[in-house]
Every structure is written in structure tokens, then in C-alpha cells.
Amino acid sequence: MDVGGTFTDVVAVDAATRELIAAVKVPTTHDHPDGVAAGIVAGLERILAEPQVDAHAIAFIAHSTTQATNALLEGDIATVGVLLLGGPVVRAFARFAPFALAEGVQFAPRWYDGRDPAALDAAAAGGVDAIAVSDAFGVDRPQREAALVGAARARGIAATSGAEVSTQYGLRARTRTAALNAAILPRMLRTSRVTARAVADARIPAPLMIMRSDGGVMDVGEVERRPILTMLSGPAAGIAGALFHENVTDGIFIEVGGTSADCSVIRRGQPQMRPAQIGGHRTLLRTLDVRTIAVAGGSLARLQHGRVVEVGPRSAHIAGYHYAAFTARETIASARADLSAGVGALVAADGTRIAVTPTCAANALGAVPQGAFAAGDREAARAACALVAAELGTDADALARAILDRASDRLRATIEELIADYGLDPATVVLVGGGGGAAALVPYAAQRLGFAHRIARDAAVISPVGVALALVRDVVERTIVDPQPADLARIRREAIDAAVASGANRDFVEVAVEIDTARNRVRATASGATAMAQDAGGSATAGETERIAAAAEHLRERAADVRIVARTPGLLVAAGARELAVVDARAVVRLVLPSARARTLAAGTVADALPREIDDATTFGDVGRSLPDVFLLRGARIAEFSGMAEAAQIAGLVRDELDGVDAAEPVVVVTVTKRA
């Protein structure tokens, strides 16, 4: 389920084949007493009424939501009391001045001395709706924070702590993150509880999951502690769809709605991440790097001096206009051009206001692929363009192209920014379109800007499909100077435990461990399917020819030139002239790695062979050496160890990954050489 600004989309996906089997759309219920949860419940009831959907057979259920983001932007937030623990200097350092979340929305929590036994009473008496507790040493010793949070919850007050939202050092940023988490906690609690109750009432055996802003999902119980992790939940759902449904390994994914387009980079099978800022202030959250621009399928064409000067940011449905491409021809025929508001629009004889949007322009030019969600009545769109164009002294085609050119210009700036930020080769960039408006905007823009493109399968519902296929995920981060192998192993296990607590099946959890030596930061990301979803997925496999063809496509080689160089029972490694591709049993390319070498070993021999593999892939330069990134493939699982400063760190993590594994089991060690 995906809660959008206008509609809530609900889909059912076959776990074994990943095929879409049912889809429904209901209006998002912003103004209902239960908020957006009412629309989720209505969509759930409708999908369960579909004859091909059996509630008792549902193995996984999840939803994404824009509610956390909207609450902060619209000021629908709780009155927050921050209880600080520690001495006067620490409390002064942790406090921060009020700041704007959005235009006209100030965030100003109330501050209390958490060491005072009466602080909780004072906060409750002062009308505080939610509590955030922050202790200077809460990362390493969270007991004092936990005690105050427990006391607040026992009184019926929503509460959270710095340690619950982040395990990173940085008292001010951690306090700010906890306070923002508390600000949206009561509203998110209401939504999650109403939705969870509806799932239980429907006799669905699977627990409800919620989309995170990093592209994974978490158990609904985690929302009661960390709703802030759902920031950018909606865009994350689209990226999950691009990864797991469309199998994008490299490209710029553009999800086009009615009001805005979300642009993001997928490289070597991985979405790109960045630290989140709210109100211009740093938080200790990592979110997908999504660039949102206010141009989409329903954007209004703004006119000045008789020509189209801009497209967006206002959209037709928000401004009260109908789309020309979805308006009856006889209504268009009765209309006259109305440019008084500075936009390309018509007024029909019955008073209906009609806009010429990018979707209408693309339909008028015949640029929307047949059967696409954005496909409308071409003749109605052309007639509307002709009426507006006549007022401007031009023709229908010229007006339509001008609208799409201005929209493409907006996309161009963001695409070029992403290419520069991630060092992409413009000659190989592929634009992948998703969302209801993708077919109206992406093909035209790609052709005009000189990029290859494709529209994702089931593009109009790519976000809820992405939610359905997403994996449970959790992240543990620590600030450690010179981390030892035992430190890394402990953090790795902590991430696994966190993912399991969020609903993942422990037997299938994958872990990526990264070290940022410049910031002394260690990050472990654990992800995996729930037990029910894993079982429901069955054993559907692709043939070897299909898997090689998938590898060849991503390696940009002919299938005849690609060879298999290593394999496990669930993964194969295919090599081209310059890169390796790791392909799973469904013919999904999980990784594309340059300058890489793969070797199949028995698990029991890895410890002895690993030092030589690392030495062979180590490079040396003027400023020292650079160890390779290492991937360990076992069964269908991929473990990643990157940014390590010492070979002993890699060896310790690999040893921990293989603990308890049969010595004869085949595993693959992949080393990726980096420039020193």
C-alpha cells in the first residue's frame, strides 16, 4: 500500500513470480478523523474483496506514507518536551534555538532538566504531548534515557529517546533528531494503530510493516519508537519498485506523479544515500538521495509575453483544473481559451476549468505510449492545445512542444546535477520512468536530452509494488577510532538482531559493513525478508541462459562474450571484459563491480586463502595503500565489507559471517580493487 498526496494505491503481488495480480485506488483521506489510515483501511478492504486475493494467504503486508514528511511541512506536530540529562554545560550544548520546518512552521520544544524528579510532572502539566529524552552518554549507556521514556509511556505520554533514534555520537544532532521524532510520534501512533487493527480484523496472518526512508521496511511496532525513519517513505517505495520489480541495476530513476517528480540514482544495484536535513539542520538520519522537483504530469504551463516561460510548480488538480486529455471532446468543443490567470487553460460552456498540462501536451503530440496510464484522448488534447495556441499566435504542435521543452529543462538541471554528484558517464545513463505521469514526460525528455530510457513495468503502481517487494532493514552506526575486528563483529551482530527485531528472518539476513575512516564511523546495514515472505517466495528460478543474458545486458556485452567465473547454489558471478556481475536465481543482477576478481572456495579454506586474495587486490600510492572492498557470497546471500583500513578487520568479519557454516560449503570471495 502506498499513501500518496491524492490517491492511496493498494496492490497484491504474487510472492513467487513477483507478478501484479490485483490493484485498487482510493482517495487519500487527509481530512478524516483517522487521517490517512482511513484510506488505507478502505483500500485494504477493496483489495481483499478481489476474487484472486485470499486474506489467509497473505505472507507480507506493508505500506509507505508521506505522513511524517507532511506533518513537519504542514506544522501538524505535537508540543514536545525535551528532558535533558547531564550537567549544565552538557545541557547548554544540547539545546538548540527554534527553527523553521517550513515556511510559517516553527519548531520550538520546551526544555526540562531530566535529573529533576519533578520534570516529568512539570512537562505533563505544561501541556506537552510528547517527550524526547537525551543523555550525553546515551549511546553507550542508554539506561537513564530508557527509564524516563518508560515512565512517560506509563503515564500515557508518547515518548522517545536519543538512543532509540540513533546510535551515533553528536549530542546536539541526536537531541534534535529525537525531538523531531517526538514531534510526529502521536500522529503516527494513531495511524499505525488504526491500520494494524484493520489488518488484524481482516484475519491477515502477516504482521504489518512500514516503509523506511532508506528503502527497507520495519515492523509497525518500530513506528511507535522511531516514526522519523519513515521520512521520504513515499519516494523510497518507488525506488524499491525500481530495484526489485524493474530490476534496475544502473540508471536514474524518475518517478513522475501529478505535482512533482522524484529523481534518484541507482548504481551497481544500490540506491544512493545521504544524511537527512530538516529545516536546514543536520539530523542523524540516512535517507535515500531523492531530488524532488516541482514539475510532473499535471503541472500548469505558465505564460508570459505570449509564450510558455515555465511549467509548475502548481499542478492542475490542486488548482481546480481538469486535464484536457481526460475531458470529453464535446466539453472541449464548447470551451474558449482563458489565459487570465497566466496559465494555459480553457473555460467550458458549463464553467469547467481545463488546463493544458505536460500530460495533455504529450498526448497531443502522440508521444504517450499506447496503454500507458497517462494515455488520454489525443483529439481532445489537440483541440485544447489549438484553442490556447490561437490566443498566443502559434499552433497546437508548437505549444505542446514548448510545454514539454520547459518541463524537460527542469528535469535536465536535476539529471545533470546527479550525473556530476555521482560521477556518472552521460553516454551510458539510462532514464527509468515510474509513476502515473512517467509516460507523458520521460520519453520526450529522454529523446530531447539525448539519453536512453525505458518505462518501468507496472509504472503507475511502481511505489506500492516496491513496498510489497521491499526487505526488512535496520542500520547500526557507531563512532569508533581504529575499530578492532571484535568491534566490527559486535556491530554486525547488533545490526542482525535489530533487523530480526523488525521482522526479518534471521537465517536469510544479509549484512553490509562499511568503515568511513575520515569520520571514524562504522555502519552495518542488515536486510532480509520475513519468514512468511521467504517461504511464500517459493523456489522460482531462471535458467542459466536467462541469467547470463541479464548479466550481459548490465555489463553491456554480448551474451556470447560473458562467462561464468564463480558460483554458489543461489548466485552466479559472470565476467565481461571490464566488470563482474552477480546474478541471483531469478535472473536479477544484484551487483555490478568494476576491477573485481571472484574465486570459489570451500568455506573451511577461506581463512587461509583470504590474506592472499586481499594482498593481490591491494594497491599502493603516494599516500599509502588501499585495501579492496570484499564481498562474500554464500547461498543466495551477499555480505559486503568496504572501506576497511586493515586486513584483520576484513578477516574478522568474514570469520564471523562463516561461523557455524559447513566447511565443505562452496562460497565465493569477490575482491574489488580501489585506487590508492
Side-chain angles (χ1 to χ4, degrees), residues 340-490:
S340 60
V343 300
L346 314 172
V347 176
D350 62 2
T352 300
R353 297 197 304 163
I354 305 161
V356 178
T357 68
T359 296
C360 307
N363 274 283
L365 293 174
V368 180
Q370 191 173 6
F373 186 81
D377 186 331
R378 182 181 182 185
E379 293 308 314
R382 282 193 67 79
C385 284
L387 287 169
V388 173
E391 286 292 303
L392 298 174
T394 184
D395 58 48
D397 284 355
L399 173 66
R401 282 194 296 269
I403 291 172
L404 291 172
D405 286 349
R406 297 293 79 74
S408 300
D409 290 341
R410 298 285 300 279
L411 278 177
R412 181 205 300 271
T414 301
I415 291 168
E416 290 178 347
E417 183 181 80
L418 288 169
I419 288 172
D421 287 352
Y422 290 103
L424 306 180
D425 179 358
T428 62
V429 166
V430 177
L431 306 184
V432 182
L441 209 53
V442 173
Y444 185 94
Q447 182 177 12
R448 181 168 181 261
L449 303 179
F451 296 111
H453 83 280
R454 72 177 190 266
I455 301 299
R457 185 164 50 114
D458 302 316
V461 290
I462 194 72
S463 285
V465 169
V467 179
L469 298 177
L471 299 175
V472 178
R473 177 172 296 167
D474 218 310
V475 180
V476 172
E477 293 183 286
R478 290 280 188 272
T479 303
I480 304 176
V481 178
D482 188 23
Q484 299 303 302
D487 298 322
L488 301 178
R490 184 181 67 255

Side-chain angles (χ1 to χ4, degrees), residues 159-170:
T160 186
S161 70
E164 282 188 335
V165 296
S166 177
T167 53
Q168 290 185 53
Y169 295 126

Side-chain angles (χ1 to χ4, degrees), residues 43 94 140 214 464 607 636 642:
D140 299 314
D214 60 4
S642 59

Side-chain angles (χ1 to χ4, degrees), residues 90-303:
V90 170
R91 293 200 306 279
F93 179 70
R95 292 184 62 157
F96 50 87
F99 61 88
L101 296 172
E103 187 175 349
V105 180
Q106 284 288 116
F107 181 54
R110 300 173 185 177
W111 301 89
Y112 299 89
D113 187 342
R115 299 174 304 167
D116 183 350
L120 203 50
D121 290 332
V128 163
D129 302 313
I131 294 291
V133 185
S134 184
D135 187 353
F137 303 100
V139 169
D140 299 314
R141 298 195 295 272
Q143 292 83 358
R144 293 202 302 172
E145 285 187 352
L148 271 176
V149 167
R153 290 173 179 166
R155 292 167 177 254
I157 304 174
T160 186
S161 70
E164 282 188 335
V165 296
S166 177
T167 53
Q168 290 185 53
Y169 295 126
L171 180 60
R172 187 184 296 272
R174 193 169 69 251
T175 303
R176 182 185 297 116
T177 307
L180 288 164
N181 190 55
I184 59 176
L185 193 52
R187 181 176 177 180
M188 294 294 288
L189 284 175
R190 289 194 298 272
T191 298
S192 63
R193 288 171 180 173
V194 170
T195 309
R197 187 164 59 246
V199 170
D201 291 346
R203 300 281 192 271
I204 294 172
L208 178 65
M209 313 295 285
I210 310 294
M211 195 83 195
R212 294 165 52 112
S213 57
D214 60 4
V217 293
M218 60 185 179
D219 184 273
V220 70
E222 286 296 296
V223 177
E224 303 206 357
R225 298 194 308 123
R226 302 183 289 173
I228 199 167
L229 295 186
T230 67
M231 295 288 299
L232 292 181
S233 173
I239 297 173
L243 288 168
F244 301 126
H245 189 59
E246 183 59 19
N247 302 335
V248 177
T249 302
D250 288 282
I252 294 179
F253 178 62
I254 305 173
E255 186 171 13
V256 185
T259 303
S260 61
D262 296 321
C263 305
S264 52
V265 168
I266 297 173
R267 294 185 69 195
R268 297 171 188 155
Q270 299 294 322
Q272 305 304 298
M273 312 291 289
R274 67 175 176 182
Q277 289 199 352
I278 299 175
H281 295 270
R282 186 172 71 95
T283 67
L284 296 185
L285 296 174
R286 289 181 78 238
T287 65
L288 293 168
D289 185 359
V290 179
R291 315 285 172 92
T292 300
I293 54 177
V295 63
S299 298
L300 294 176
R302 292 161 52 196
L303 309 175

